[in-house]
Amino acid sequence: MNILMVGDVYGEPGRQAVAKLVPRLRQEHAIDFCVVNIENAAAGFGVTAPIAKQAFESGADVLTSGNHIWDKREIVEYITKENLLLRPANFPAGTPGVGHVTVKTGPHKIAVLNLMGRVFMLPLDCPFRKADEIIPEISKETPIVLVDMHCEATSESIAMGWYLDGRVSAVVGTHRHVQTADERVLPGGTAYITDLGLTGPTDGVIGVDRDQIIQRFLNQMPIRFETAKGPAALQGAVIVVEPETGRATSIRRLRVPA
């Protein structure tokens, strides 16, 4: 199975990149399943129901998120009804929405698990123990398990990759908006990359207007961030998985100008 996983979609440039490129990439790479991290799609902060629906219409099968999932208050009602939009599974019990989902694709099923790190982030439940709790259950339905590990610290992403090696098909990092060059298939058959990167404007600073960020560093004054203008790109990875075993055979990094 060919799986496309897309890094954090940022603002309108990111949404346009998804709308333009995901259908093309699905055809070019014979993609069977597509996961898109959508949490920065609403001007960099959160996601709305119309934006989520647009991503599904563009070819996403499941949407993942992270620490910005609640930035738009109206998403709470939507996420309680739409289980294909995930929030991190290690949010406390009773949080709206779900942190994992299993989807039928042709003759096979694919499970997606969304986790969030704790280093320099919210004090959520332990993502490692949450993975231990959930993976045995979803693995009863399918050997194909994809994990979006939304982290600030690269070390936490790497640790999760090794921790889950051989137990899931892929562990991909999101959140930092900088694509890493460490993609590989780990010894146990788990495809891994520390960060898929940013789907959005390429001439800003992690999606934000660069002049605003430079001024923020210079004077340390608070400012309302605006999405960068100019060219955009889609960043992510194509992962090939054996459907019978769930083992990954390859992972290829993508950076496609929009």
Side-chain angles (χ1 to χ4, degrees):
M1 297 194 75
N2 298 327
I3 296 165
L4 172 63
M5 301 193 76
V6 178
D8 303 50
V9 176
Y10 198 101
E12 184 177 6
R15 301 197 305 268
Q16 294 300 320
V18 167
K20 179 179 179 180
L21 295 175
V22 167
R24 191 182 95 190
L25 292 171
R26 290 198 71 133
Q27 184 173 13
E28 287 180 2
H29 298 275
I31 296 300
D32 299 292
F33 194 78
C34 176
V35 180
V36 176
N37 187 293
I38 201 75
E39 73 146 14
N40 299 118
F45 299 94
V47 58
T48 64
I51 288 173
K53 292 174 183 176
Q54 181 187 37
F56 287 129
E57 291 168 359
S58 298
D61 294 296
V62 170
L63 303 176
T64 57
S65 64
N67 56 303
H68 286 293
I69 184 59
W70 311 121
D71 286 3
K72 298 291 181 279
R73 185 180 301 177
E74 60 266 34
I75 203 61
V76 174
E77 181 180 358
Y78 180 77
I79 204 171
T80 58
K81 299 174 182 176
E82 179 53 84
N83 65 359
L84 295 177
L85 170 61
L86 302 181
R87 47 81 172 164
N90 52 320
F91 268 106
T95 302
V98 296
H100 63 90
V101 68
T102 300
V103 180
K104 195 171 189 305
T105 302
H108 305 289
K109 292 181 178 180
I110 297 179
V112 182
L113 170 60
N114 198 172
L115 297 169
M116 193 163 93
R118 299 189 293 181
V119 178
F120 309 126
M121 298 188 83
L122 298 172
L124 301 183
D125 297 341
C126 175
F128 295 85
R129 290 188 169 88
K130 183 58 69 172
D132 285 339
E133 174 188 325
I134 293 173
I135 289 170
E137 292 303 313
I138 58 180
S139 296
K140 293 176 182 177
E141 293 188 77
T142 176
I144 308 170
V145 180
L146 312 173
V147 179
D148 179 339
M149 182 62 176
H150 197 78
C151 290
E152 188 76 49
T154 55
S155 59
E156 199 169 12
S157 290
I158 296 168
M160 184 62 79
W162 285 110
Y163 189 65
L164 296 182
D165 183 30
R167 294 197 276 165
V168 301
S169 305
V171 176
V172 301
T174 57
H175 175 68
R176 287 149 293 222
H177 299 184
V178 178
Q179 189 178 65
T180 57
D182 60 341
E183 73 279 6
R184 60 183 292 197
V185 177
L186 299 175
T190 296
Y192 175 80
I193 185 170
T194 298
D195 205 290
L196 291 172
L198 173 72
T199 295
T202 56
D203 287 352
V205 177
I206 61 172
V208 181
D209 179 271
R210 62 178 181 265
D211 292 331
Q212 288 185 317
I213 296 296
I214 291 169
Q215 287 303 310
R216 177 68 183 269
F217 279 120
L218 286 171
N219 59 35
Q220 294 298 302
M221 294 295 290
I223 191 170
R224 181 182 176 86
F225 291 153
E226 296 178 6
T227 302
K229 296 179 175 60
L234 179 148
Q235 296 187 349
V238 173
I239 301 165
V240 180
V241 174
E242 296 175 345
E244 294 78 15
T245 65
R247 291 174 62 94
T249 58
S250 69
I251 175 171
R252 175 188 174 191
R253 208 165 10 109
L254 288 181
R255 184 185 187 280
V256 186

